[in-house]
Amino acid sequence: MAENQELKPLVVTSVSEMQRIASELRRAGKRIGLVPTMGALHLGHMSLAVAAKEDADVVIVSDFVNPTQFAPGEDYDKYPRTLDADVTLLQQIEVDYVFAPQPSEMYPDGFNAKVHIGGVTELLEGEFRPTHFDGVATVVLKLFNMTQADVAFFGQKDYQQTLVIRKLVRDLNLPIEIVVCPIIRERDGLALSSRNQYLSSTERQEALVLNKALEKAEELIRSGERDAPVVIDAMRAIIATAPSAVVDYAYIGDPESLVELSRIAGDVVVLLAVRVGKTRLIDNRIIRR
Ligand code: PAF
């Protein structure tokens, strides 16, 4: 186990080694914090790792591009894989372990388990990416088991994913605490995402319509608009100003259940999925009253 700070983070690529380390840490009474990522780390991920450092005795960042959450034709092959750069970033905040297993060890021949969470997975991302959340729930459960984490950190940017993870934990009585950290944005409002690097400079500029649309939604709701379709039309009008943007959904729902709302009476979450050129971006804003 890496006690020497110069060795941090220790990169663990084998599942059995990760399990051995996790068992040792638990025996030593350490509180283990996990930050599940697919790598290509940016400041959004770093904010999760910093939150984990503040909360846990030992922090593990998993760095694994999970094939089962991509459908055929999605960006699995071109998804950026930048393990060395990720480790260098994590060195700066002295994360303890980076867990970077091989797909062949995560999913060996004959692997055929699948975790399916119902309800909240069936709309929005679930409609556009029908196999996505099974892949997420399955890999996240495996990562929880392999690292024996006490607490795991997720970003609000993947809002529906956070609800799926909470449901996974609740329905399967997993002994783990879930912490959701705020969205980190560029100065001009673009939510950080590993997929932003697919955008050309024109598309990068056009992608600002997502946050602008969310700002407009908040402004309308705060100034008393209660009719959700009116707010959604205003958001769509802003997005339509970007020639290469196509809306997959613009949605106002209950923040816990995601049930669609036509009247805005209490807290809401506003969710967007927009394709900008070939890049699909998601963003959201919780508006509390
Ligand atoms: O949010 C992500 O990066 C992924 O969905 C996760 C949670 C690491 C599972 O692969």
Side-chain angles (χ1 to χ4, degrees):
M1 207 171 299
E3 294 297 331
N4 180 345
Q5 291 215 333
E6 280 169 21
L7 290 180
K8 282 186 182 177
L10 189 70
V11 180
V12 179
T13 55
S14 128
V15 171
S16 57
E17 179 63 359
M18 188 70 260
Q19 287 176 311
R20 189 193 64 70
I21 291 169
S23 297
E24 208 172 299
L25 290 169
R26 287 198 77 83
R27 266 197 304 277
K30 302 290 186 194
R31 177 170 166 84
I32 303 175
L34 171 68
V35 181
T37 82
M38 297 205 301
L41 301 187
H42 50 62
L43 289 177
H45 298 112
M46 294 300 279
S47 74
L48 304 181
V50 168
K53 288 274 298 179
E54 281 165 11
D55 182 295
D57 299 319
V58 176
V59 174
I60 303 170
V61 173
S62 64
D63 192 313
F64 176 65
V65 184
N66 173 38
T68 64
Q69 68 190 76
F70 292 80
E74 290 187 349
D75 56 342
Y76 176 68
D77 288 334
K78 79 163 180 178
Y79 199 87
R81 286 154 172 88
T82 57
L83 181 60
D84 290 348
D86 295 346
V87 171
T88 304
L89 272 178
L90 294 169
Q91 246 159 16
Q92 293 169 19
I93 56 166
E94 291 181 6
V95 157
D96 300 278
Y97 297 96
V98 173
F99 178 41
Q102 289 302 313
S104 56
E105 209 191 345
M106 289 295 271
Y107 300 109
D109 284 348
F111 179 94
N112 57 16
K114 188 187 284 179
V115 180
H116 176 75
I117 304 295
V120 76
T121 55
E122 276 147 32
L123 62 171
L124 302 173
E125 289 303 290
E127 266 177 35
F128 285 88
R129 307 181 69 193
T131 56
H132 174 67
F133 286 126
D134 285 357
V136 170
T138 305
V139 81
V140 166
L141 179 58
K142 283 167 73 69
L143 292 168
F144 287 175
N145 286 334
M146 289 166 182
T147 60
Q148 299 184 45
D150 297 281
V151 55
F153 297 78
F154 294 86
Q156 187 200 311
K157 193 177 85 62
D158 294 298
Y159 188 83
Q160 192 175 3
Q161 171 172 279
T162 66
L163 297 184
V164 174
I165 304 295
R166 286 194 193 284
K167 192 92 184 12
L168 168 79
V169 167
R170 207 166 41 240
D171 286 3
L172 300 183
N173 308 96
L174 304 179
I176 188 164
E177 198 183 311
I178 301 300
V179 176
V180 176
C181 298
I183 299 175
I184 306 293
R185 298 181 182 280
E186 305 270 14
R187 275 169 177 273
D188 59 9
L190 182 67
L192 294 190
S193 162
S194 305
R195 290 188 167 100
N196 289 349
Q197 54 189 278
Y198 300 155
L199 298 167
S200 70
S201 58
T202 313
E203 288 168 347
R204 163 77 182 66
Q205 204 50 36
E206 291 190 17
L208 298 180
V209 291
L210 279 89
N211 187 48
K212 285 186 186 147
L214 293 171
E215 275 173 355
K216 182 71 181 175
E218 173 146 22
E219 181 194 312
L220 286 172
I221 293 169
R222 296 229 176 273
S223 60
E225 183 57 66
R226 296 289 165 260
D227 192 356
V230 169
V231 177
I232 286 172
D233 284 350
M235 292 169 69
R236 284 183 176 273
I238 288 174
I239 296 165
T241 62
S244 57
V246 177
V247 178
D248 275 355
Y249 57 76
Y251 188 90
I252 299 183
D254 176 88
E256 304 300 325
S257 65
L258 280 194
V259 165
E260 187 166 19
L261 299 171
S262 52
R263 292 290 300 167
I264 299 165
D267 298 347
V268 297
V269 59
V270 185
L271 297 131
L272 278 178
V274 177
R275 280 171 285 136
V276 180
K278 289 193 171 129
T279 306
R280 190 168 181 280
L281 301 174
I282 57 173
D283 201 350
N284 67 80
R285 189 173 280 229
I286 300 171
I287 301 168
R288 300 202 185 279
R289 301 202 41 235

